[in-house]
Every structure is written in C-alpha cells, then in structure tokens.
Amino acid sequence: AQTYRSLTSRVLVATVQAVPAADQGQTMLVLYTPVTDGKPGGTRTVTLRGDEWQLGGDIIKWSDWLNVLGVHTGYRITRLMGYYENATDYQTKPVTAFDLANARDSLSLFLRDHANWVPFVQATYGNDVRMRPNPGVTYQVYLSTSGYWAAQN
C-alpha cells in the first residue's frame, strides 16, 4: 500500500503522456509514471474513456505549528481516470478509473469523519489535476501546498 509522503514545497509526483486513440472518440492511451523522491518508477499504460485524463489523490494538512517539529502536509496519489467534460456523459458512457494506491486509507477516512477529535489536523481533502490528451507532450504533474497541477515538459 502507498503511504503518505511529506510535502514542503512543489514536488514532482508523476509524468503523464496521453494521446487520443485513433478513430475512437473520447478514448485515449495514457502512460503514467510515478515519481518518488525525484526518481521515476515503473510506467503503467492504460486506456481511458473521456475527454481528459485526471490524476488525483488525498492530502492531509496538519496545523502549521507541527511544521516546526518536522511534520508537513502529506499526500498520496490514489487514482487515474477519464474525465468527461459533459456531466451527462457519465450517465450514458463507460467510466474508466484505475486504483494507484492499492489499498483503502483508513487514516484519511478517520480524519475526514472525526476531524474535530484531532485538533492538529487543519484539513483532509481530495484533489486532482486533469488535462486533454496531447500527442507529443509529456506533462509533469506536481503537488504543491495549493494542490496538484500539471505543466508541459
């Protein structure tokens, strides 16, 4: 199972390449490569349905005073999925999503449900970035204290 990683500034967390599948509307081939501590992991190739690819995960933001003790905002990437721009497409078209965490996160679920019991948790939330497939472009996906974002390489 993937554990939470410390976040103190902008961190490169993945690279993504996505190209539209030939003659298959709203379908794309996506190459996802996680990056941990600056080192790329194994590339995973998936087919997604949708207008855009979407990569996201969970974030735990601790109270600011814990930063002095070395406890920083934590994150983990949990899913890669297709995103439809038209919400009604979700009712009539297939949804594709891939689990990247390999396990449920009981800590995050507990903190979301019982935040008032843990006064040193400032926030727990999900966040994502999504982009249209673009042949020949590699997106670098970053996470900063404002959330996930992508830039063309």
Side-chain angles (χ1 to χ4, degrees):
Q2 184 183 25
T3 59
Y4 281 83
R5 303 198 188 291
S6 180
L7 175 65
T8 58
S9 61
R10 178 183 86 165
V11 176
L12 177 65
V13 297
T15 61
V16 176
Q17 295 174 300
V19 296
D23 300 324
Q24 295 182 38
Q26 294 181 303
T27 303
M28 68 193 91
L29 183 65
V30 177
L31 283 72
Y32 162 77
T33 305
V35 176
T36 304
D37 298 325
K39 297 180 181 100
T43 299
R44 184 171 178 181
T45 303
V46 299
T47 300
L48 296 178
R49 297 293 310 260
D51 300 301
E52 301 176 57
W53 57 266
Q54 179 177 5
L55 182 68
D58 298 325
I59 299 172
I60 298 176
K61 180 152 178 44
W62 306 102
S63 295
D64 293 336
W65 63 267
L66 285 174
N67 290 330
V68 176
L69 302 175
V71 180
H72 300 286
T73 298
Y75 72 93
R76 69 185 203 132
I77 296 175
T78 59
R79 70 182 61 204
L80 175 63
M81 62 187 294
Y83 176 86
Y84 291 107
E85 291 173 347
N86 186 336
T88 58
D89 285 347
Y90 288 100
Q91 298 168 358
T92 60
K93 297 181 179 178
V95 175
T96 50
F98 293 90
D99 181 7
L100 301 176
N102 300 320
R104 284 187 57 124
D105 176 33
S106 55
L107 174 62
S108 182
L109 293 173
F110 175 81
L111 292 175
R112 284 184 192 172
D113 292 344
H114 306 290
N116 59 329
W117 292 2
V118 188
F120 48 86
V121 172
Q122 193 171 37
T124 61
Y125 55 96
N127 186 261
D128 62 71
V129 61
R130 61 181 198 261
M131 302 294 287
R132 295 183 72 74
N134 194 345
V137 172
T138 298
Y139 290 97
Q140 293 183 323
V141 178
Y142 294 94
L143 182 63
S144 68
T145 54
S146 62
Y148 291 98
W149 55 280
Q152 291 186 21
N153 186 10

